[in-house]
Amino acid sequence: MLNYLKSQSAFENSLNKWRRLAQSIWNSHWTADISLLLIAMIWGSNYIVIKGVVETVPVFQLLFIRFTLTAIIMLPFTFKVLRHADRSAWTSGMILGLILGATYFLETFGLTSTSASNAGFIIGMYVVLVPVLDHVIHGRLLKISLAGVLLLSITGTTLLTMKDSFDPKIGDVLVLAAAFGYAIQMIMAKKLTAGKTMDSRALTVIQFSTVAIVSGLLSLSQPSSWSYLTPSFWLAIGYLVVFGTMFAYYIQLVMIRRTSPSRVALLMSSEPMFAAIFSILIAGEHLSIWQFIGGVCIITGILLGRRFQE
């Protein structure tokens, strides 16, 4: 009996040791950094996944299925906070959802006629556009430094859309409009929630549900045979819903508090780079030397632009 108790005590001590080690690793800034880099990688891969799907699936139907599944899966975890959400939270969530929906429409339609690598770089410009639009909205003159960052990003976009000459595709224009949409969504989110107590989980579900409803209504205008509901389609949707949306947003929310703003900016700014890497390795896309320089200009602009948001 005594040997059993000693053995049990040794097991518990060992188990507690491993628990403390696991907790230490989980709370480490290295875990936060690796997690944020993983999110940037996942979001970078989203472009090539979506581009592959929209070749056979109507855009509105794709977004309807994606966001409906996301909202349904999140509902059991957010039902209580949704019950206690007031009218202001629902109104703000629906307004932000409409902006987010328009942004996703532009981005997804844009991917039908531009490369995944171009989309990844151009979308990242929203980081620069947020402080620029904020200055414009409040009637403030742009600082020289901010104007320089904007010029650098515009130069990068120009180079990125070049082949032998400056010839932007309609997809590039739509994705650039989507970048403006993301910037407006961030500005409006700050304005609508300032000084109010709103649960971010409730706002997120309301936004996703709004996108799902609007996409569903608009999908009625698109012909469909539903023949695209293949195993590969559901695999892509599962990846976008579970990893590209739920996992990424949750991990970002948790880990972003465990590292410095400068490290967050550096890690998350690698998303366009991953978009280009996946596009080259999986889709066989090719970046010319000018497009590569343009991508570097945009990433530099993103890194500098984040400083104006901190």
Side-chain angles (χ1 to χ4, degrees):
M1 183 65 177
L2 183 59
N3 289 336
Y4 171 77
L5 292 176
K6 289 181 178 179
S7 175
Q8 185 71 12
S9 178
F11 174 76
E12 290 179 355
N13 289 335
S14 178
L15 185 61
N16 288 332
K17 180 181 178 181
W18 282 106
R19 283 175 178 171
R20 287 194 296 270
L21 178 60
Q23 190 67 29
S24 175
I25 294 174
W26 175 253
N27 292 327
S28 168
H29 72 86
W30 286 107
T31 300
D33 289 350
I34 293 172
S35 298
L36 291 170
L37 188 63
L38 176 61
I39 292 172
M41 185 184 300
I42 290 173
W43 280 346
S45 68
N46 278 357
Y47 298 102
I48 193 66
V49 174
I50 294 172
K51 185 167 179 61
V53 174
V54 294
E55 290 178 355
T56 57
V57 183
V59 170
F60 292 133
Q61 292 174 27
L62 167 63
L63 293 174
F64 169 67
I65 295 172
R66 175 184 178 182
F67 284 96
T68 297
L69 288 177
T70 302
I72 290 174
I73 294 173
M74 291 183 67
L75 189 59
F77 305 100
T78 57
F79 182 71
K80 289 184 179 180
V81 293
L82 281 172
R83 286 183 58 190
H84 295 93
D86 57 19
R87 180 178 297 181
S88 178
W90 280 95
T91 302
S92 299
M94 286 188 286
I95 292 173
L96 294 175
L98 290 173
I99 299 173
L100 185 64
T103 301
Y104 269 105
F105 300 157
L106 291 168
E107 178 185 354
T108 311
F109 273 113
L111 274 165
T112 63
S113 56
T114 190
S115 66
S117 54
N118 273 26
F121 283 119
I122 295 173
I123 280 292
M125 282 186 59
Y126 81 87
V127 175
V128 179
L129 294 172
V130 169
V132 170
L133 291 178
D134 187 58
H135 275 68
V136 172
I137 291 172
H138 292 91
R140 301 195 301 266
L141 292 175
L142 293 182
K143 297 179 180 178
I144 295 178
S145 55
L146 181 55
V149 170
L150 178 61
L151 180 61
L152 180 64
S153 298
I154 292 173
T155 301
T157 303
T158 302
L159 294 174
L160 195 66
T161 56
M162 287 180 64
K163 294 295 182 181
D164 299 321
S165 60
F166 179 60
D167 184 26
K169 297 180 180 178
I170 184 62
D172 296 319
V173 176
L174 291 175
V175 173
L176 181 59
F180 274 93
Y182 280 121
I184 293 171
Q185 208 253 0
M186 291 187 66
I187 293 172
M188 288 299 296
K190 183 177 180 180
K191 181 178 180 180
L192 292 172
T193 60
K196 300 176 183 178
T197 304
M198 295 184 185
D199 192 287
S200 58
R201 293 168 298 174
L203 280 176
T204 300
V205 175
I206 295 170
Q207 288 182 70
F208 288 167
S209 299
T210 302
V211 176
I213 292 170
V214 174
S215 299
L217 293 174
L218 292 174
S219 69
L220 298 176
S221 64
Q222 294 182 311
S224 175
S225 63
W226 301 101
S227 59
Y228 57 79
L229 298 179
T230 62
S232 59
F233 167 78
W234 290 115
L235 183 63
I237 285 294
Y239 179 81
L240 292 172
V241 170
V242 176
F243 293 99
T245 306
M246 295 176 59
F247 173 79
Y249 276 102
Y250 173 75
I251 293 297
Q252 183 190 37
L253 182 64
V254 173
M255 295 301 178
I256 203 169
R257 304 169 185 172
R258 300 182 183 177
T259 189
S260 65
S262 59
R263 293 175 75 88
V264 172
L266 177 63
L267 293 165
M268 297 307 294
S269 296
S270 63
E271 179 186 334
M273 179 190 70
F274 283 117
I277 291 173
F278 284 116
S279 300
I280 293 170
L281 295 179
I282 297 176
E285 294 183 3
H286 172 71
L287 288 179
S288 68
I289 184 62
W290 290 114
Q291 288 176 308
F292 177 79
I293 294 173
V296 171
C297 289
I298 290 177
I299 290 178
T300 303
I302 291 170
L303 287 169
L304 296 174
R306 286 187 183 277
R307 297 182 59 184
F308 295 99
Q309 296 186 45
E310 296 175 0

